[in-house]
Amino acid sequence: MTRIVCIGECMVELAPTNTEGSYQIGFAGDTMNTAWYLRQLLGSAHQVDYLSAVGQDAISDQMLAFLQDAGIGTGSIQRLPGLTVGLYMIQLQDGERSFSYWRGQSAARLLASDPARLAAALDGAEIAFFSGITLAILPDDDRARLLSALATFRAAGGTVVFDPNLRPRLWDSPQTMTASISTAAEVSDTVLPSHEDEATWFGDADPDATLARYLKAGARTVVVKNGPGEILISQDGTISRVRPVAATTVVDTTAAGDSFNAGFLASRLSGEPIDQAVIDAAALAGRVIQSRGALMPCTE
Ligand code: ADP
């Protein structure tokens, strides 16, 4: 049995229904979306755990039940009194989606407050997956604590996988964001950035520049996503490129990158060579963006 631990924040999603003024509750969040797709793609020889924190209220109960129903392990999710889970609301105005967030009382901000818990959650796992959003929500000391736990995990033979997922509005400043992302890349074996964001915040002229920057930080494997554009791959010094199949109709790009990450990791864990894993990842992401919402049931 191999174990994968995804680390981060799952939130309540309020999405508009077809009835004016009415919203449907769902659960989503970048690292949870990846865990959700991993669980669907991998067989019973793999355990997918989520490392996070929630409150002790009814909506936290509901979130845990959702994760358990999806087959995601919740043993590493702490239940903290007096806090709850983060929430975001999607609003549609003239066909354009906008998002409002409430995450000030989110228990997930404390997911890395206890080093012993972190070590126990990672103990014996094969892969630890986290993102720039995971880092952004943590207090400074806890961010350092999480990176230190991941470095220890890596030194003991674990594989650390990181999606920078740059979200400037979650950070004090763009400088803090880019510095923290660079530090996180230094403890990561595999980095899965999206070029467009990286170009905006790191000034990368092209995907090759994004690739070079993360290789320099110490990653063995870098896969640079680029929307519908060519995906650039480097593993142990060998560079290759894969072009995603063009999507006929793009309905909703939410979770394109998250599902890509899951497709990639699932194929690698199933023994596929890296280029095939990227082809599989792009095929999954290409299907996800052709339906509404983050989580698309995928029976293959
Ligand atoms: P993110 O959602 O994290 O910003 P990207 O936009 O780079 O990530 O997309 C992730 C992956 O989703 C891409 O590498 C590609 O495989 C797939 N994808 C995204 N947009 C398209 C598109 N318009 N057509 C086909 N594939 C797409």
Side-chain angles (χ1 to χ4, degrees):
M1 172 78 81
T2 58
R3 204 156 67 80
I4 301 149
V5 182
C6 297
I7 308 165
E9 179 178 25
C10 178
M11 303 181 79
V12 175
E13 177 192 85
L14 289 183
T17 66
N18 290 331
T19 312
E20 174 80 31
S22 139
Y23 289 79
Q24 187 180 348
I25 284 187
F27 297 100
D30 65 336
T31 50
M32 196 289 288
N33 299 341
T34 299
W36 192 91
Y37 281 105
L38 274 169
R39 183 58 282 160
Q40 293 210 41
L41 295 169
L42 292 169
S44 54
H46 301 276
Q47 185 178 331
V48 181
D49 285 346
Y50 200 52
L51 167 50
S52 189
V54 299
Q56 296 180 341
D57 53 351
I59 191 67
S60 297
D61 289 345
Q62 227 176 302
M63 181 181 283
L64 286 183
F66 166 82
L67 294 169
Q68 285 156 5
D69 285 351
I72 296 168
T74 58
S76 299
I77 301 183
Q78 288 182 74
R79 306 225 43 187
L80 301 172
L83 293 168
T84 183
V85 291
L87 175 133
Y88 69 93
M89 187 176 200
I90 305 172
Q91 272 161 317
L92 272 178
Q93 211 165 16
D94 305 326
E96 285 291 315
R97 288 151 55 91
S98 68
F99 295 82
S100 301
Y101 290 88
W102 292 263
R103 60 203 319 176
Q105 283 176 287
S106 169
R109 292 155 59 110
L110 300 180
L111 70 85
S113 56
D114 180 349
R117 268 185 174 273
L118 283 179
L122 294 172
D123 186 37
E126 186 158 317
I127 292 177
F129 171 74
F130 73 118
S131 79
I133 296 178
T134 311
L135 294 178
I137 64 166
L138 302 179
D140 292 350
D141 287 354
D142 291 16
R143 193 179 297 145
R145 196 174 289 127
L146 175 61
L147 294 181
S148 157
L150 289 168
T152 304
F153 170 73
R154 186 187 190 189
T159 300
V160 177
V161 181
F162 177 54
D163 182 339
N165 242 336
L166 304 172
R167 295 289 183 279
R169 71 176 181 174
L170 293 179
W171 293 88
D172 292 345
S173 68
Q175 291 73 20
T176 315
M177 174 177 76
T178 50
S180 299
I181 295 296
S182 301
T183 306
E186 289 168 17
V187 306
S188 304
D189 297 276
T190 300
V191 183
L192 306 171
S194 287
H195 173 64
E196 199 181 340
D197 294 346
E198 305 285 328
T200 306
W201 298 103
F202 282 96
D204 298 339
D206 50 32
D208 294 77
T210 303
L211 184 89
R213 191 165 43 75
Y214 285 118
L215 288 177
K216 197 165 164 225
R220 265 187 62 198
T221 303
V222 180
V223 178
V224 185
K225 296 163 269 181
N226 192 16
E230 198 171 62
I231 299 157
L232 180 58
I233 305 151
S234 174
Q235 165 139 292
D236 294 331
T238 305
I239 292 193
S240 53
R241 291 164 205 271
V242 163
R243 183 163 287 282
V245 176
T248 41
T249 41
V250 178
V251 175
D252 178 1
T253 58
T254 307
D258 308 334
S259 56
F260 181 100
N261 297 342
F264 174 75
L265 292 175
S267 288
R268 290 298 280 156
L269 282 166
S270 308
E272 296 295 346
I274 190 154
D275 285 9
Q276 185 58 47
V278 169
I279 291 168
D280 295 345
L284 175 63
R287 289 205 309 280
V288 167
I289 62 175
Q290 295 185 54
S291 64
R292 187 169 284 286
L295 307 178
M296 176 199 78
C298 41
T299 37
E300 287 186 297

